[in-house]
Amino acid sequence: MRIAFLGLGAIGTPMAVHVAKQHQLTVWNRTGTRATAFAAAHACAVAATPREAAAGAEVIITCLPTSSDVESLLDGPDGLLAGLGQGALFLDCTSGDPDTTRRIGERLAPLGIEFADAPVSGGTNGAEAGTLTVMVGGTEETFRRARPILDCFGRRVEHMGPLGAGHAMKAVNNALLAVNVLAVGEGLAALVKSGISARKAVEVLNASSGRSFVSEYLVPQRVLTRLWPLTFRLALLDKDARIATGVLEGQGVSGPVLHLTSDLLAQARAALGEDADYLEPIRLIEQEAGVKLHE
Ligand code: NDP
């Protein structure tokens, strides 16, 4: 199948690698050198513009920071709409927002272009392994058409509901991840200050009922080791938490915990900058407490 992939960032790149193994792929990236390097490494074509990527593609996949970024690629002489043909399938793997996605869907439907939100979870490791969870919003028919393509990089590919439902699911998931990052950091800081080693506290936590993905994997592998790899920007998690509070508000759920989490992430983003990793708010907790969570 002829597929175009737009957005070769931290997670888009390993996802596109899996697509390239099974399909005839064309890539486009805002910074063209990344697309050229990808194409050379994975024997696929490079498009100079979104229009060129979309022209002739049966399926296009986007993986950009926000839904607004996706929307901004639609228009203009070099935009996606100038290239997309009737009958094309447009899968947006951005962790985006439901409202913008529904607006994009309303523009695409009269043009005969099927659209689905298909955000992913599982991190860059999951993308490399092809074991992502994919949360799809769209019609049943669009889901059936999309599934074999999403299977290229997904292990669990689920239809969540109508357009926007995938983004709502993903945003709430990431807001819960954010709650855990902050809460585990705070709890461990207090335990270390009270004389318990960070390693022992994490081990006992992970044999007890307060454990989580953050305590079982992220803290032992990335914080206690002091490696702090950059895999997912804090700015993106902050964006997700804000989308989640919007989802809650839209449903009349006051959600004080998720609102506070979102506020704390926004403060951490302001302090740490746009290129900080999403675990780095734990550094701020360490600084404030005057401790380090190390082996
Ligand atoms: P990155 O910041 O690593 O990459 C962003 C990509 O989008 C780059 O290719 C960048 O191009 C491109 N881009 C940014 N702004 C624009 C724009 N205005 N127009 C066109 N292209 C643009 O992000 P990730 O790959 O980490 O994340 C992408 C999406 O996936 C986000 O929604 C994120 O929340 C989600 N996600 C990320 C995960 C992760 O572990 N990293 C996990 C799950 C979901 P350029 O090269 O020019 O900068």
Side-chain angles (χ1 to χ4, degrees):
M1 204 175 266
R2 290 186 309 278
I3 298 185
F5 198 108
L6 297 91
L8 298 172
I11 196 138
T13 298
M15 288 162 66
V17 169
H18 288 288
V19 178
K21 285 179 193 157
Q22 296 182 40
H23 297 280
Q24 192 183 324
L25 185 68
T26 299
V27 290
W28 176 83
N29 192 66
R30 183 181 61 178
T31 304
T33 46
R34 284 175 108 170
T36 315
F38 181 97
H42 302 284
C44 63
V46 187
T49 61
R51 177 188 53 75
E52 200 179 302
E58 293 156 272
V59 178
I60 70 157
I61 303 173
T62 42
C63 191
L64 305 181
T66 68
S67 291
S68 303
D69 295 325
V70 175
E71 197 171 33
S72 74
L73 293 193
L74 295 179
D75 295 307
D78 287 330
L80 282 172
L81 293 183
L84 271 173
Q86 199 174 9
L89 173 62
F90 185 156
L91 303 174
D92 183 20
C93 292
T94 304
S95 298
D97 71 88
D99 289 344
T100 309
T101 291
R102 284 189 282 267
R103 193 165 66 228
I104 294 173
E106 278 163 19
R107 288 193 64 192
L108 296 179
L111 304 174
I113 296 160
E114 281 189 69
F115 184 50
D117 45 314
V120 301
S121 182
T124 50
N125 289 344
E128 279 157 23
T131 58
L132 293 170
T133 298
V134 190
M135 309 160 192
V136 185
T139 65
E140 282 281 355
E141 193 192 327
T142 306
F143 177 69
R144 272 197 296 278
R145 209 178 145 198
R147 188 173 191 145
I149 294 133
L150 299 172
D151 280 342
C152 291
F153 44 76
R155 181 165 61 190
R156 179 159 188 161
V157 179
E158 285 284 342
H159 185 211
M160 303 310 303
L163 202 58
H167 283 153
M169 179 73 226
K170 171 65 186 176
V172 169
N173 174 78
N174 275 25
L176 300 183
L177 169 67
V179 170
N180 267 278
V181 168
L182 299 174
V184 172
E186 290 176 1
L188 289 178
L191 291 172
V192 169
K193 280 194 97 168
S194 68
I196 299 170
S197 83
R199 169 60 64 187
K200 178 154 281 188
V202 169
E203 281 173 6
V204 173
L205 179 60
N206 288 338
S208 306
S209 50
R211 70 186 179 278
S212 64
F213 178 70
V214 174
S215 69
E216 289 186 301
Y217 298 102
L218 299 177
V219 167
Q221 290 175 8
R222 302 181 185 185
V223 176
L224 299 190
T225 56
R226 312 307 287 175
L227 288 173
W228 306 102
L230 173 55
T231 66
F232 176 42
R233 291 188 298 118
L234 169 62
L236 296 173
L237 186 62
D238 173 41
K239 169 259 310 176
D240 294 333
R242 257 181 301 124
I243 295 170
T245 56
V247 170
L248 266 64
E249 278 160 22
Q251 298 308 320
V253 176
S254 66
V257 174
L258 295 192
H259 274 94
L260 177 59
T261 300
S262 178
D263 291 347
L264 292 170
L265 282 190
Q267 287 167 26
R269 177 178 177 175
L272 292 163
E274 292 302 291
D275 291 326
D277 184 68
Y278 73 118
L279 291 180
E280 291 189 64
I282 295 177
R283 284 188 198 273
L284 298 179
I285 294 168
E286 288 181 330
Q287 274 165 26
E288 206 223 317
V291 286
K292 276 210 163 109
L293 307 178
H294 54 69
E295 302 278 7

